[in-house]
Amino acid sequence: LARSLRHGRSRRRRSAESPAIPILPGRQRSAATLEVQAVSVNFGGVSALQDVTLRVEPGEVVGVLGPNGAGKTTLLDVISGFTHPLRGEVLLNGTTVDRWSPERRARAGIVRSWQAVELFEEMTVRENLLVAADPKSPWRYLLDLVRPGVQPSTTVIEDVVRDLDLHEHLDRRPSELPQGIARMVGIARAIAAEPRVLLLDEPAAGLDATESAELGAEIRRLAQGRGIGVLLVEHDVPMLMAVCDRLVAIDFGRRIAAGTPDEVGNDPAVVAAYLGDIDAPVAEPA
């Protein structure tokens, strides 16, 4: 993965070989701000999130960190529409999306990359990207309806294939890919959907330190280059510290710290959440 990303950066001035498929321009989406305001979620009387608030601006990478069971994935489920909050709201450019289905949110530009890469195994890498780029319906819902073999490519697909150096893998199936490359294809597929806000759930899982660093640099570049707001959930703390503009730490479903990576990394409550310092002011479960 590290070698592929380095080669990709050195070859960005070259045009990727284009498949024998028409290439359409991108949809020119406007930038968008994501807001989560005082969101709370209960599961069977157990509080999973308690009044969590955060904001992601265009071109900004905001990281969410916390130990296992802190509520990080539940937070992404709320934003993407798969879990309905007990209280609070999610807004996209000031518009409340709480009544929107996951499909409608995806259409509006809230795109999620899953912790398990979830590529369509019966499709090639190219076909996975083409399904994601279908402007009519989100790729998650149309495996049986879309015919990607005859679907036009887009300039966004061509760009992300070139930038991530994925061209040699386009005709391979996911089972043939190394884990690091498969994770890059998962991110490429999310970018192919032309998100306004991108939710990444542990994209560095299973990668070594070098691969994580390279992946983090690519996430940073994609956010800044495309004006996409990125909400990054990750256990790789060094990656979060290096990549993110701001961090939000949660534990037992509560936000216990927020600020720059240095501020959050040195917060006593965050240190306690990870290291178990009983003398630090850790948020207790409700």
Side-chain angles (χ1 to χ4, degrees), residues 53-284:
T53 294
L54 60 82
R55 181 184 181 96
V56 184
E57 300 283 357
E60 182 180 41
V61 181
V62 176
V64 179
L65 77 162
N68 287 329
K72 303 183 298 296
T73 296
T74 299
L75 176 62
L76 295 189
D77 287 342
V78 169
I79 296 170
S80 53
F82 291 96
T83 295
H84 295 290
L86 178 68
R87 296 186 303 275
E89 59 182 348
V90 177
L91 302 99
L92 186 67
N93 266 2
T95 298
T96 300
V97 303
D98 296 292
R99 295 182 180 274
W100 294 8
S101 66
E103 180 177 3
R104 185 176 177 186
R105 297 186 200 203
R107 289 175 185 268
I110 300 176
V111 176
R112 179 173 179 177
S113 176
W114 300 85
Q115 187 177 126
V117 179
E118 301 290 353
L119 297 173
F120 296 140
E121 185 55 48
E122 63 271 37
M123 295 182 175
T124 65
V125 169
R126 185 197 309 278
E127 290 168 341
N128 269 277
L129 298 180
L130 290 173
V131 170
D134 178 13
K136 299 185 182 70
S137 302
W139 55 267
R140 288 192 292 271
Y141 303 93
L142 292 184
L143 174 59
D144 296 324
L145 302 180
V146 177
R147 302 286 302 198
V150 298
Q151 181 184 340
S153 184
T154 69
T155 55
V156 174
I157 290 179
E158 300 300 302
D159 288 346
V160 77
V161 166
R162 181 192 65 232
D163 290 347
L164 301 184
D165 198 28
L166 295 176
H167 188 268
E168 66 181 278
H169 305 291
L170 287 176
D171 294 320
R172 301 173 71 183
R173 296 189 184 277
S175 61
E176 301 170 356
L177 301 175
Q179 184 179 28
I181 297 299
R183 290 200 169 274
M184 290 305 302
V185 173
I187 292 175
R189 185 175 63 176
I191 297 296
E194 300 183 43
R196 302 164 78 192
V197 178
L198 179 60
L199 313 178
L200 297 178
D201 193 358
E202 297 189 29
L207 304 184
D208 63 31
T210 300
E211 291 173 330
S212 292
E214 293 282 359
L215 175 60
E218 288 298 323
I219 292 170
R220 180 80 200 169
R221 186 187 59 76
L222 287 169
Q224 292 182 328
R226 298 185 179 277
I228 300 168
V230 176
L231 186 63
L232 173 61
V233 168
E234 185 53 67
H235 278 294
D236 187 334
V237 175
M239 176 183 172
L240 289 173
M241 293 292 177
V243 170
C244 297
D245 297 286
R246 292 183 293 108
L247 292 176
V248 175
I250 59 177
D251 192 26
F252 294 116
R254 290 182 176 177
R255 192 178 88 165
I256 58 173
T260 67
D262 284 342
E263 290 170 343
V264 172
N266 291 305
D267 189 286
V270 176
V271 174
Y274 275 95
L275 301 180
D277 180 0
I278 60 173
D279 295 322
V282 184
E284 294 295 334

